[in-house]
Amino acid sequence: GGDIVKLVMCAVLAYISALVFYRAILIGEPVFGGNSDPGSYTATGTFDLRNIIPGITGNTRQFFTLIHNDFAMLWQGLIALLCGSFIFISVKYSEQRKSLAFCAVLLITAITAALSFGVFLALKNPGIYPRHMAGFGIFIAAIGISAAADGRPSRITRTITKFGVIALVWCFIVFANSYGNALADQQRYNNFRVETLVHDLSRLFSETPISLQIKNEIEHTAVIENIAKRAPVIKRLVPYRKRDFGWNILYLTKYYNYNDNVATQDDFTKIDLPVVLDSYYHKIKSDGQKVLVILKAAQ
């Protein structure tokens, strides 16, 4: 008992010390987001003491909802299998009463899973991104290794647990390779769509300065849509050209060196501009100076 308390206290002290060192020495003031701009990106602002419990509870619910929505059902089933094996082995070989051991192990497993998200749980605006799953991945690895490496259970239990570990690792390896292929496929499609648009804009407005706005986005490719049927997280991992006007303008002007003109504050979608080109991939509306590009979803 005393050794366990010492281990927990050392772990807590090391974790807090690392957080303080990271915040005070390494990052300084945040570049994006921050307390003054909580909506743009992950911010460093934390809940006050009055709201810390409901805030952490809400963030925990969001993270586990994200896991449920993004992870393939097979992944979730295998993770449940590993957690079940860990709980079963811990309870069966515990020297405490089985009911007490079960409640304790179940509670510890749930708390550890939640704490795997680290300090993000205490942030007002954690920014729910797939990369925040890194800590949860460590939790899965720890549970799987602990259950599979335990030599006390029967051969059937060990076989089932090791099968779960191998199957989950195989799923992640296959997904990692699919992810790389999906990134390349999406980039090729992005380049094709933007190059086609640049060609049409250059042909129509080669001599005239214009103000450019873009509506809609370049959608995900058919490859990504197919992967998303099994693993929805792929859509959040593979970026596409956002519907935000500014990013599209930056992509056109900086990456393709198109006319570096920033659009006005006017919303061109509310102006009745005449159509000057209507193609399979986009529609261009313009009065000669204001240009609105409406991207289409390829059928």
Side-chain angles (χ1 to χ4, degrees):
D3 292 338
I4 294 177
V5 172
K6 290 181 181 178
L7 177 63
V8 171
M9 293 301 295
C10 288
V12 171
L13 181 61
Y15 185 76
I16 294 176
S17 299
L19 287 179
V20 172
F21 178 80
Y22 179 76
R23 179 65 181 88
I25 305 299
L26 296 182
I27 65 171
E29 292 299 321
V31 178
F32 299 102
N35 300 334
S36 61
D37 185 14
S40 63
Y41 196 68
T42 299
T44 58
T46 57
F47 296 107
D48 54 37
L49 292 179
R50 183 179 58 183
N51 298 313
I52 189 72
I53 299 301
I56 289 178
T57 302
N59 283 344
T60 302
R61 187 183 304 113
Q62 285 191 67
F63 278 117
F64 281 104
T65 299
L66 179 68
I67 291 173
H68 176 67
N69 293 336
D70 280 1
F71 280 26
M73 292 306 299
L74 178 59
W75 302 358
Q76 296 182 49
L78 291 171
I79 292 171
L81 172 64
L82 296 182
C83 289
S85 296
F86 173 78
I87 293 172
F88 172 77
I89 294 171
S90 299
V91 172
K92 183 176 180 179
Y93 296 99
S94 172
E95 297 179 359
Q96 302 294 330
R97 284 187 304 161
K98 300 306 179 186
S99 58
L100 178 62
F102 175 77
C103 292
V105 174
L106 187 64
L107 181 62
I108 291 172
T109 303
I111 292 176
T112 304
L115 291 179
S116 67
F117 297 105
V119 74
F120 286 111
L121 295 178
L123 299 182
K124 291 181 180 178
N125 178 43
I128 310 299
Y129 297 101
R131 60 180 171 271
H132 294 164
M133 296 297 110
F136 187 71
I138 295 174
F139 163 76
I140 297 172
I143 289 291
I145 292 172
S146 177
D150 197 319
R152 295 174 297 176
S154 65
R155 179 177 297 179
I156 294 178
T157 301
R158 294 200 306 270
T159 300
I160 292 174
T161 304
K162 290 178 180 179
F163 169 79
V165 171
I166 293 172
L168 188 59
V169 170
W170 175 254
C171 288
F172 287 161
I173 290 175
V174 171
F175 178 77
N177 284 280
S178 300
Y179 174 47
N181 293 334
L183 280 174
D185 189 64
Q186 184 69 40
Q187 187 59 48
R188 284 192 295 268
Y189 183 64
N190 287 347
N191 291 341
F192 166 73
R193 290 292 300 269
V194 174
E195 288 166 1
T196 302
L197 175 58
V198 168
H199 174 268
D200 289 339
L201 290 174
S202 299
R203 182 167 52 87
L204 292 170
F205 308 105
S206 59
E207 304 296 333
T208 309
I210 61 172
S211 294
L212 182 66
Q213 287 185 359
I214 299 176
K215 181 181 179 182
N216 301 331
E217 69 276 348
I218 299 174
E219 75 283 357
H220 284 121
T221 67
V223 170
I224 294 174
E225 294 292 343
N226 288 332
I227 296 175
K229 294 176 182 178
R230 302 183 300 275
V233 69
I234 192 70
K235 281 193 171 184
R236 286 162 37 82
L237 285 170
V238 178
Y240 56 88
R241 301 280 69 79
K242 303 294 184 182
R243 58 174 57 89
D244 169 71
F245 287 170
W247 180 250
N248 282 293
I249 294 293
L250 183 65
Y251 193 67
L252 285 173
T253 59
K254 302 301 183 184
Y255 191 76
Y256 285 91
N257 200 29
Y258 190 71
N259 295 333
D260 193 1
N261 297 297
V262 179
T264 67
Q265 296 300 316
D266 298 329
D267 185 355
F268 293 175
T269 61
K270 297 180 180 179
I271 303 175
D272 187 19
L273 298 172
V275 177
V276 295
L277 186 145
D278 192 353
S279 70
Y280 181 78
Y281 292 108
H282 50 255
K283 179 187 294 184
I284 300 177
K285 304 174 71 175
S286 175
D287 62 1
Q289 292 183 329
K290 300 181 179 68
V291 178
L292 174 64
V293 175
I294 303 174
L295 298 175
K296 297 181 181 179
Q299 303 298 322

